[in-house]
Amino acid sequence: MSNLSRDLVEEIHSRVPITSQRAVRSTCKRWNVLSKDQNYTKHLGPASKEIMLIMIRGCRAHLMSVNLHGVHNHKYLVDTSIKELGKLNQVEIFEVLHCDGLLLCVTKDYSRLVVWNPYSGQNRWIQPKSNTFHTLDRFAIGYDINNNQKVKVLRFYYWSDYVEYEIFDFKSNSWTVLDVTTHWKIHRRSVSLKGNTYFIAHERFKVDQQGEFLRCFDFTKERFGPRLPLPFHSCLDDSVILSSLREEKLAVLFKKCDACDMEIWITTKIDANTVSWRNFLKVDMQLYPERFRSPCRSFLVDEKKKVAVIFDIDRKTWTNYKPYMVGEDGYQGEVDLRDSELWMLMCSYVPSSVKIQ
């Protein structure tokens, strides 16, 4: 095994599901060392050829692979589907957040958190200060870029005019209250990118006049960055959803509550202090009156094929979320989930060998 060429070893690894990589690494010392190379993990077969994502079904997290190879010249073909690569754990999960290959999972009973790397199999449990976390608690995960990618977890809590922010330190195994004062409020799902986390926020008392905007939490400085503009004017009743493109770019979906157009924008530049956008997709939803009448839960983007998969409420059950694909010229098609159970898209996933302290 040790004498095989690197190209052949990479080909072998590319055929193994992410959830079985831990067993592959135990084959020999050379394979184990190679698997920890960041450049190597970026070129794993599933990561480079298909879009991977984390979905929840029945309070269990699942790693899924999205096959959009059926899309050609914006024509819908029958093999466009989502398939399951494996179950990630046996813990009942309420929410999953992703940052550079690491997953922050919130348990269903809010009793604890777990930071987990599905690729390496490494995990770390995080306990609350008291007996349990609060149902109003929100979380984010990122890392310190100046300290060997030291992983950190942010917790924040809103109640009326009271706001509290805390950082969990893995070395001391404790929570530290941050001396941060904000005059705005975060109210939508966050997305992590390159170690930082981005939020949709609004002013507390001038929501409609000021509109919503983007805020970045810098895990290196442990501070929020300046207000960053969104490429549209939105308010609380509108659909505004963040997503990421392979840990490289940020995407945002926007649909005004009283309009028919749905837009998706992608960043051309983004960091804690600056952002610029380009329009990726615009669809006239008047052509599809049975779709997207309520705010969708989440979405993902394939930039090369110029299509988006959007999880919208199922009109038959009004509980399940079903994936639909939209593209240029109003293209649309349903994506096959291969079963009728409740699925909910949480986030996209990119494998990484990042270590948890």
Side-chain angles (χ1 to χ4, degrees), residues 43-319:
H43 294 90
L44 285 174
S48 59
K49 297 176 183 177
E50 296 182 328
I51 300 174
M52 287 188 290
L53 54 130
I54 303 297
M55 299 179 69
I56 284 184
R57 179 180 64 176
C59 295
R60 293 286 189 267
H62 296 251
L63 178 64
M64 311 292 286
S65 173
V66 182
N67 176 13
L68 297 180
H69 300 309
V71 183
H72 181 66
N73 293 330
H74 308 294
K75 293 183 179 180
Y76 177 70
L77 301 181
V78 294
D79 65 340
T80 301
S81 61
I82 296 178
K83 63 181 179 181
E84 183 175 349
L85 296 178
K87 296 180 181 180
L88 294 179
N89 57 59
Q90 297 301 320
V91 180
E92 288 198 327
I93 298 298
F94 170 74
E95 186 177 21
V96 179
L97 300 166
H98 173 256
C99 177
D100 197 21
L102 298 181
L103 301 180
L104 174 62
C105 303
V106 183
T107 58
K108 183 182 177 182
D109 60 2
Y110 281 87
S111 62
R112 52 186 175 165
L113 309 175
V114 60
V115 177
W116 181 29
N117 187 333
Y119 174 72
S120 67
Q122 188 183 14
N123 63 68
R124 174 74 180 269
W125 289 96
I126 300 175
Q127 304 294 337
K129 279 184 175 181
S130 55
N131 294 330
T132 184
F133 292 105
H134 197 279
T135 55
L136 294 179
D137 284 345
R138 304 281 298 278
F139 302 95
I141 181 172
Y143 55 80
D144 186 337
I145 60 175
N146 294 332
N147 190 8
N148 197 30
Q149 291 189 324
K150 179 182 178 182
V151 182
K152 300 178 182 180
V153 172
L154 172 70
R155 183 194 76 88
F156 53 98
Y157 172 89
Y158 293 108
W159 179 253
S160 186
D161 292 334
Y162 177 75
V163 184
E164 182 179 77
Y165 297 94
E166 287 185 322
I167 283 281
F168 182 80
D169 182 83
F170 283 81
K171 187 175 182 179
S172 64
N173 196 38
S174 62
W175 292 92
T176 302
V177 177
L178 297 180
D179 184 17
V180 174
T181 302
T182 57
H183 302 288
W184 38 268
K185 185 176 181 180
I186 296 167
H187 71 106
R188 300 188 191 269
R189 184 175 168 81
S190 64
V191 169
S192 294
L193 189 70
K194 299 177 182 178
N196 295 329
T197 297
Y198 294 85
F199 303 90
I200 303 294
H202 63 82
E203 298 292 343
R204 292 192 184 182
F205 307 108
K206 298 180 180 180
V207 180
D208 294 332
Q209 298 93 325
Q210 300 289 339
E212 295 177 308
F213 48 88
L214 199 65
R215 284 279 185 177
C216 173
F217 184 81
D218 188 326
F219 277 89
T220 301
K221 298 179 180 179
E222 296 187 354
R223 289 290 183 271
F224 285 99
R227 172 175 173 156
L228 301 175
L230 291 168
F232 44 75
H233 184 279
S234 61
C235 60
L236 298 182
D237 293 332
D238 300 329
S239 291
V240 182
I241 305 167
L242 292 175
S243 184
S244 62
L245 281 72
R246 298 183 182 272
E247 291 289 320
E248 298 171 356
K249 301 177 182 179
L250 202 65
V252 60
L253 180 149
F254 171 60
K255 184 180 182 299
K256 206 159 187 62
C257 62
D258 57 355
C260 296
D261 290 340
M262 181 179 67
E263 302 175 358
I264 295 178
W265 297 73
I266 294 177
T267 56
T268 55
K269 178 183 179 181
I270 186 165
D271 56 41
N273 301 304
T274 60
V275 66
S276 57
W277 303 88
R278 73 174 180 88
N279 187 267
F280 172 72
L281 203 61
K282 186 174 181 179
V283 181
D284 182 1
M285 301 314 297
Q286 278 187 313
L287 302 174
Y288 315 103
E290 296 301 316
R291 300 284 181 256
F292 315 115
R293 289 186 294 181
S294 60
C296 60
R297 180 65 171 81
S298 47
F299 77 104
L300 59 91
V301 167
D302 189 320
E303 191 173 12
K304 291 183 179 180
K305 295 184 182 295
K306 202 158 186 177
V307 295
V309 177
I310 301 172
F311 274 65
D312 184 41
I313 198 77
D314 186 349
R315 305 303 171 197
K316 295 180 180 179
T317 64
W318 291 99
T319 55

